[in-house]
Amino acid sequence: MLTPNSTGICCHFHLCSSPETQLARSKSILGTSLSNVDYISLDAGKASLDDLSASMKDATAVISCVGLSPGSQNQKDGNGLVNSRIAQAAKAAGVPKIVYIGVSSTLANGPAKFLLGDYFSGKATAEKSVTSEFGGKNSLIIKPAIIAGGPPGEIRPPGPPGMKAVDVTAVARAAVSGAVGDLIGVIDGNEAIEAL
């Protein structure tokens, strides 16, 4: 979440991560801790919309990459309902821009939909909610297939054999570009993300 006069407030809407856990995880991934960052942790599936909105007060943008991994329990609501609540709360808080990390149409419409239907359905619900709340001119939906470069050795979500992963830094660059208003609309697929 970006605020006008700060270098950052990082608001995590994970289901179980404390601010301390998120700080340690960020440090382990980046190799250093970030200065002037406050970590706030809320359960977006259980927190009231008022509490979610209050956590976004004065933000100039919200970036949501919240969700459950394919195969997790309750992945439909954990990807759809949770992100719909985040979009509603951001709108209620007066946040002007939102960026959502969805999933590529190639994966969502491919054979994996038969195994991971709830995962893709939840992601589609979230994408519709972001567009409904913010419209295409105040939102960016980034739809990577699979992402490499998070915690060492992880590729998220797991993709079909032979599919090339997009580097997490390319996704992050696109997300920040959306948050500052340089990109809007939908960026679908790893090649489109890497071409930015």
Side-chain angles (χ1 to χ4, degrees), residues 152-178:
E154 282 193 24
I155 295 178
R156 295 183 179 185
M163 181 174 276
K164 183 179 176 245
V166 65
D167 191 82
V168 70
T169 56
V171 177
R173 252 191 319 276
V176 171
S177 293

Side-chain angles (χ1 to χ4, degrees), residues 50-143:
D50 288 341
D51 286 344
L52 287 172
S53 289
S55 73
M56 300 176 196
K57 184 178 185 277
D58 298 326
T60 57
V62 168
I63 301 172
S64 179
C65 55
V66 174
L68 297 176
S69 298
S72 300
Q73 287 186 341
N74 201 19
Q75 57 193 331
K76 186 174 183 178
D77 285 346
N79 289 301
L81 178 64
V82 168
N83 283 294
S84 294
R85 290 172 49 78
I86 290 170
Q88 291 166 0
K91 184 70 170 182
V95 177
K97 293 182 240 26
I98 190 167
V99 177
Y100 174 64
I101 311 299
V103 65
S104 78
S105 297
T106 301
L107 282 180
N109 298 322
K113 71 181 174 187
F114 299 109
L115 296 173
L116 304 170
D118 284 348
Y119 173 80
F120 295 123
S121 177
K123 289 288 195 176
T125 296
E127 291 170 10
K128 286 177 189 169
S129 185
V130 164
T131 302
S132 173
E133 294 293 335
F134 284 85
K137 293 186 178 182
N138 296 310
S139 66
L140 176 64
I141 298 172
I142 304 168
K143 299 175 67 157

Side-chain angles (χ1 to χ4, degrees), residues 33-34 39-41 78 81 121 124 141 162 173 175 182:
S33 47
L34 300 171
Y39 290 86
I40 302 166
S41 187
L81 178 64
S121 177
I141 298 172
R173 252 191 319 276
D182 291 341

